[in-house]
Amino acid sequence: MTMFHFFNCAILTFGPHAVYYSATPLSEYDTLGTSVKAALVYLGTALVKLVCLATFLQVSENDGFDPYQELLKALIGFIDVAGLYFALTQLTHRNISQNHKFQAVGLGWAFADSVLHRLAPLWVGARGLEFTWDYILQGLEANANLVLSISLAALGSLIWLRKNKPKTLIPIIYACAGIVATMPSITSYLRRGLGWHFPKVVGFELFTSLVMAFISWQLFSACQRPYV
Amino acid sequence: MVLSKNSGGHRGMQESMYSVIALVFILVACVELCDAAAAIDVYRLIQYDMSGSAYGSRFAVLNHHAAALHFPPGADLSRAVLIIPLRELNITFVREYINQKKPLGGLLFLLPDIFSFENGGNKQVHEKEKLKNLLAELEQLLIHANIPYPVYFAFENDEIDTVLADIKKNDAIGQPATATTGGYKLVIPTPEPKKVASPTITNIQGWLSGLKVDGDTNQLPTIAIVASYDTFGAAPALSVGSDSNGSGVVALLEIARLFSLLYSNPKTRGRYNLLFGLTSGGPYNYNGTQKWLRSFDQRLRESIDYAICLNSIGSWDNELWIHVSKPPENAYIKQIFEGFSNVAEELHIKVGLKHKKINISNPRVAWEHEQFSRLRVTAATLSEISTAPELLQGTGGLFDSRQFVNETAITRGVKLVAESLARHIYGHQGKNVQIFADGGSLAVNPAYIQSWLDLLSQTPRVAPFLSKNDPFVMALQKELADHTDEVNMQHEVLEGVFTFYDSTSARLNIYQVASVTFDLLLLLVLGSYLIVLFSFLVITTRGLDDLISLFRRPPSRKVKTA
């Protein structure tokens, strides 16, 4: 049963990425190369973040919420945004429309994030005899992360790739991008500072990811509309 | 330029792919980490053969679901481990299970903390005596039964208490734990038990020479003081035998210390040699004592005036017994008994004399002095026990822990023996002389007794599991060497009737497991979630027609030529 449980949690964690790729027109336009490149950029970003964290962060003895440390972590988190910028703008992509570009980049980004952060604990832990809900919750978290990554990629492509945007929407775009980018800090604050349990945090992540996805979808389609 | 960039990118990608594959291999090779709900130390029931018949628990590996008492009647327990706390033990139930050979996956007994020698300490517990008697009864039942499944003992602690409460709750709902309904799984990964090859028994003797007057060529008479130091119990890793015979060993060491003080000065050295013997193999019809005596020189054996054997003098109030095998009318016996009675009267102790004839054809040796008597040496055993114990009974089992031993009892016993011996040695019989008076330099040292008793109460001493160079045996040898002139160790092999098997303690892992049905349900839910997600994405991005077209077979494109 334990391999069975591992298999279940694995399809929960990685299944949606595969489903997203095959269900949307991404598979038709063969944007796998883009996704793979985005995944590699994520790996590079993760390495840079690791080095910065190791250099600047102090290890705290207790598990409490230290505002200064969290601020530092948030700042380092912006390296994520820089990485996404690099992936969206600097890499050469085949001739794919912007619509699909951000989806492919977001997908690759989220897939790399899941593999890096969730595959190892899953392999080591879910195969054991002991049963916990953690791995299922982790899988749900991966789903929320996928949605968030795609939203962030959408907003990023709006900010950096689209030159003509309606003036009124610009501050909203930046605000939403800011919120999505700081999601990790927000969740860690909830977990450490307010002491929320893992299921609650995952629920919050799912909810906000759906909300942000909806908002960015609206923004994106608003910017698509040709305006006078 | 684009081409070179592409090839460069390809190479980079290849390298990272290799590192990823390498990482994957490392992870696959990782040993499954143990992530149990609880992990506790458990101690196995002894497994031994006696005269070819098998006794004790014959298996060690455990990998079954846990169940508690009050399981639903008719439930199949052949793949379940029953967890029984001692407080809730119903001995008739266990006896019925064992005698009727009902199939069971395993047994785990939970003992209250007071029997633990690590933190037993001085806790006051309700109904200590009742638990002690219950445990003694359980032990006797388990030792003499042949049990074809693993039996383990563990001490109660918070973790296992919560686990047990959880199991009881699940049982109350009416769901016995099987492979499909989840629950707790108990796993003990230990190798199969093997025979202990050539178990050794080590006898330690200390010799204190008496004062030899110049010109006297005769051998000085000898008095022997003997105690057996090994134990036998249901769980060999827990058999510390504080009373049987830790109290005897402690008393012997203290008597040795007192007489070494007396004998250190030639002016106070007596005209008797003193021979102190710490023998092993006590529970097995005093096999070690027999081998020890057989190894003596004939002259030495004949020079022994008498021997006093000490057996369980740690938990008595006012009455001690002297057991003899020669009839009480015998002059020597009378002398010994009178000496002891006189001292006992002064110390307000009542001493009784018990006579048990020995039957040479019967191999059963109930008291240590019987081994002496079989070789025609006068001997007696001083004990708080009034009736002769059966084979493997009263040999320091699970219930015999530090809690139930009283240092003052041992102190008084030491005084009794020491005074009686001294009066005999120095010829002060009948006189009211206190050689080892309290407060003097020769007073019995309660701190010494207590520290040695504490050490003995933390050392399991089942002889087949004590190697030749065991630190405890070395410690006894060193201590005796401090108090005597000459110390000898005799190593023998415990052959013959008994065979022992190892694997006496292990680590139990308790896992909380989910059932197969749970995972099947989860698979169903996930499958439908992914299908819904797929359809949702197809509909929103490509349109409903595309979704329907996925399921319709593409129409044949054969163009019929007219």
Side-chain angles (χ1 to χ4, degrees):
Chain A
M1 301 73 260
T2 53
M3 273 314 265
F4 195 6
H5 192 67
F6 167 73
F7 175 72
N8 278 343
C9 295
I11 62 175
L12 177 61
T13 314
F14 302 112
H17 300 87
V19 164
Y20 193 91
Y21 185 79
S22 54
T24 57
L26 288 180
S27 55
E28 280 176 16
Y29 291 102
D30 198 17
T31 51
L32 190 62
T34 314
S35 297
V36 172
K37 282 188 206 155
L40 293 171
V41 172
Y42 179 84
L43 278 171
T45 317
L47 211 63
V48 172
K49 270 199 342 190
L50 212 64
V51 171
C52 289
L53 280 173
T55 319
F56 295 117
L57 225 57
Q58 305 147 342
V59 176
S60 63
E61 291 86 36
N62 55 345
D63 214 14
F65 183 75
D66 186 1
Y68 180 63
Q69 299 294 321
E70 295 299 325
L71 195 63
L72 219 55
K73 277 193 208 165
L75 284 174
I76 292 176
F78 277 109
I79 297 178
D80 256 339
V81 182
L84 209 54
Y85 169 77
F86 180 77
L88 277 171
T89 56
Q90 299 301 333
L91 293 178
T92 54
H93 303 290
R94 297 216 324 255
N95 209 355
I96 33 180
S97 77
Q98 215 161 61
N99 204 343
H100 298 142
K101 192 194 275 193
F102 82 83
Q103 283 183 36
V105 168
L107 187 66
W109 194 264
F111 186 73
D113 180 88
S114 285
V115 168
L116 222 59
H117 289 186
R118 291 176 195 101
L119 180 62
L122 203 60
W123 176 255
V124 170
R127 282 185 316 142
L129 275 177
E130 178 78 8
F131 172 75
T132 50
W133 286 100
D134 279 349
Y135 301 108
I136 297 175
L137 290 171
Q138 217 178 44
L140 291 173
E141 203 181 6
N143 279 311
N145 196 285
L146 173 63
V147 178
L148 276 174
S149 300
I150 294 183
S151 328
L152 189 59
L155 294 168
S157 82
L158 277 184
I159 295 172
W160 297 307
L161 293 180
R162 189 175 291 279
K163 303 303 174 204
N164 44 346
K165 300 180 276 257
K167 290 289 193 301
T168 46
L169 291 177
I170 294 181
I172 306 179
I173 294 175
Y174 275 95
C176 287
I179 294 175
V180 177
T182 52
M183 270 313 274
S185 310
I186 296 174
T187 42
S188 94
Y189 170 69
L190 289 174
R191 198 174 309 178
R192 307 257 187 88
L194 293 182
W196 279 20
H197 290 304
F198 198 31
K200 228 172 161 184
V201 173
V202 170
F204 172 77
E205 278 181 10
L206 283 170
F207 176 70
T208 44
S209 65
L210 288 172
V211 166
M212 294 315 295
F214 182 72
I215 294 175
S216 20
W217 183 28
Q218 292 302 317
L219 284 171
F220 201 83
S221 42
C223 292
Q224 290 259 35
R225 239 178 282 128
Y227 63 101
V228 182
Chain B
M1 198 159 68
V2 173
L3 219 64
S4 65
K5 227 178 186 174
N6 261 348
S7 62
H10 267 128
R11 223 177 291 127
M13 242 173 73
Q14 264 180 358
E15 278 171 12
S16 44
M17 280 310 287
Y18 284 149
S19 49
V20 167
I21 289 172
L23 188 63
V24 167
F25 274 137
I26 291 170
L27 286 175
V28 167
C30 256
V31 176
E32 231 176 79
L33 287 179
C34 170
D35 190 18
I40 53 177
D41 289 317
V42 292
Y43 310 97
R44 196 170 79 100
L45 179 66
I46 192 163
Q47 179 182 358
Y48 68 101
D49 297 335
M50 186 168 72
S51 312
S53 319
Y55 292 101
S57 155
R58 309 307 294 180
F59 289 94
V61 179
L62 195 65
N63 192 344
H64 289 313
H65 279 87
L69 289 173
H70 311 299
F71 46 86
D76 178 26
L77 290 177
S78 59
R79 312 217 82 225
V81 178
L82 266 185
I83 303 183
I84 305 181
L86 189 68
R87 288 174 225 267
E88 297 166 25
L89 177 66
N90 179 355
I91 194 101
T92 38
F93 168 79
V94 177
R95 188 171 289 136
E96 180 194 309
Y97 240 81
I98 292 176
N99 288 340
Q100 293 178 6
K101 300 205 188 301
K102 289 192 186 167
L104 193 61
L107 268 177
L108 177 65
F109 291 102
L110 295 180
L111 305 173
D113 230 1
I114 50 165
F115 296 109
S116 153
F117 52 83
E118 278 167 28
N119 26 321
N122 293 315
K123 294 203 199 111
Q124 289 305 318
V125 169
H126 238 24
E127 311 173 319
K128 243 179 358 182
E129 281 301 313
K130 192 162 140 235
L131 285 174
K132 183 178 172 199
N133 294 335
L134 188 59
L135 190 53
E137 217 185 315
L138 177 68
E139 235 183 309
Q140 283 301 307
L141 169 65
L142 290 173
I143 290 176
H144 291 121
N146 182 355
I147 304 177
Y149 42 81
V151 178
Y152 280 92
F153 295 92
F155 291 108
E156 287 174 354
N157 64 7
D158 295 327
E159 295 172 321
I160 196 147
D161 281 342
T162 40
V163 166
L164 190 61
D166 221 358
I167 297 173
K168 282 190 188 160
K169 209 166 51 156
N170 287 342
D171 272 355
I173 300 175
Q175 264 189 332
T178 54
T180 51
T181 51
Y184 286 92
K185 200 154 197 205
L186 303 183
V187 179
I188 300 179
T190 178
E192 273 305 307
K194 296 186 290 292
K195 280 194 192 170
V196 174
S198 322
T200 46
I201 46 176
T202 308
N203 296 319
I204 312 170
Q205 75 177 45
W207 181 263
L208 207 55
S209 305
L211 186 66
K212 236 184 156 127
V213 175
D214 287 333
D216 187 2
T217 49
N218 293 340
Q219 177 124 15
L220 283 178
T222 312
I223 298 181
I225 299 140
V226 193
S228 85
Y229 67 86
D230 69 328
T231 59
F232 180 91
L238 295 177
S239 296
V240 291
S242 299
D243 203 6
S244 295
N245 190 14
S247 53
V249 173
V250 168
L252 185 145
L253 288 175
E254 177 65 3
I255 294 169
R257 186 188 73 87
L258 291 171
F259 275 98
S260 81
L261 283 175
L262 270 177
Y263 273 45
S264 55
N265 187 346
K267 290 199 202 139
T268 50
R269 199 176 295 164
R271 302 269 208 94
Y272 280 80
N273 295 325
L274 286 173
L275 175 61
F276 296 96
L278 285 167
T279 57
S280 180
Y284 323 114
N285 290 326
Y286 292 102
N287 197 317
T289 317
Q290 182 192 48
K291 293 201 161 93
W292 183 52
L293 288 175
R294 292 250 164 92
S295 75
F296 279 178
D297 199 8
Q298 172 84 343
R299 276 208 318 161
L300 170 58
R301 212 184 304 148
E302 282 172 1
S303 78
I304 299 182
D305 244 15
Y306 64 93
I308 300 283
C309 308
L310 302 169
N311 183 352
S312 309
I313 50 173
S315 54
W316 53 279
D317 281 324
N318 277 312
E319 190 166 11
L320 280 177
W321 298 94
I322 297 185
H323 298 265
V324 292
S325 37
K326 289 197 176 157
E329 303 81 45
N330 184 299
Y332 298 114
I333 301 291
K334 262 194 181 164
Q335 196 184 36
I336 300 172
F337 185 61
E338 266 170 30
F340 270 91
S341 305
N342 290 336
V343 180
E345 245 181 79
E346 292 159 27
L347 296 174
H348 309 291
I349 305 172
K350 182 165 168 301
V351 174
L353 187 64
K354 279 230 152 169
H355 172 230
K356 179 179 175 287
K357 270 202 182 141
I358 36 174
N359 186 352
I360 305 277
S361 53
N362 185 357
R364 171 77 188 124
V365 178
W367 298 106
E368 197 159 12
H369 72 264
E370 291 183 18
Q371 293 287 15
F372 284 88
S373 302
R374 284 172 190 231
L375 291 172
R376 310 210 190 291
V377 178
T378 311
T381 302
L382 180 69
S383 175
E384 72 202 4
I385 307 170
S386 57
T387 46
E390 299 293 321
L391 181 63
L392 301 179
Q393 191 189 36
T395 49
L398 281 173
F399 60 90
D400 197 349
S401 64
R402 178 71 178 86
Q403 284 277 302
F404 302 102
V405 178
N406 186 354
E407 298 97 66
T408 25
I410 303 180
T411 314
R412 288 167 82 199
V414 167
K415 247 215 208 134
L416 173 64
V417 178
E419 281 287 352
S420 320
L421 284 177
R423 286 189 197 180
H424 182 94
I425 291 173
Y426 298 107
H428 292 308
Q429 281 103 323
K431 296 188 203 153
N432 193 347
V433 178
Q434 286 270 351
I435 299 177
F436 302 102
D438 288 335
S441 60
L442 284 173
V444 178
N445 187 351
Y448 184 85
I449 288 178
Q450 187 169 12
S451 66
W452 270 97
L453 191 62
D454 285 342
L455 172 65
L456 280 161
S457 304
Q458 291 172 353
T459 318
R461 306 187 295 281
V462 182
F465 304 108
L466 279 180
S467 64
K468 258 190 219 179
N469 304 318
D470 192 85
F472 180 71
V473 175
M474 292 289 132
L476 281 180
Q477 183 207 18
K478 185 173 175 303
E479 191 64 18
L480 213 52
D482 278 347
H483 301 317
T484 54
D485 296 332
E486 196 190 316
V487 168
N488 287 319
M489 303 250 276
Q490 182 199 16
H491 301 288
E492 294 284 341
V493 173
L494 179 65
E495 24 76 338
V497 181
F498 287 88
T499 319
F500 292 91
Y501 294 78
D502 65 1
S503 178
T504 52
S505 67
R507 196 128 175 102
L508 168 71
N509 296 313
I510 305 179
Y511 297 103
Q512 186 168 21
V513 289
S515 54
V516 175
T517 47
F518 172 78
D519 271 318
L520 281 171
L521 268 171
L522 189 62
L523 183 63
L524 226 62
V525 168
L526 286 178
S528 40
Y529 164 68
L530 286 177
I531 289 173
V532 166
L533 186 66
F534 185 82
S535 327
F536 173 73
L537 287 172
V538 169
I539 291 176
T540 50
T541 53
R542 291 196 256 186
L544 190 57
D545 294 337
D546 269 341
L547 181 65
I548 296 171
S549 72
L550 274 173
F551 295 105
R552 201 176 292 157
R553 215 173 298 161
S556 72
R557 295 201 185 267
K558 277 203 197 136
V559 176
K560 285 211 175 112
T561 50

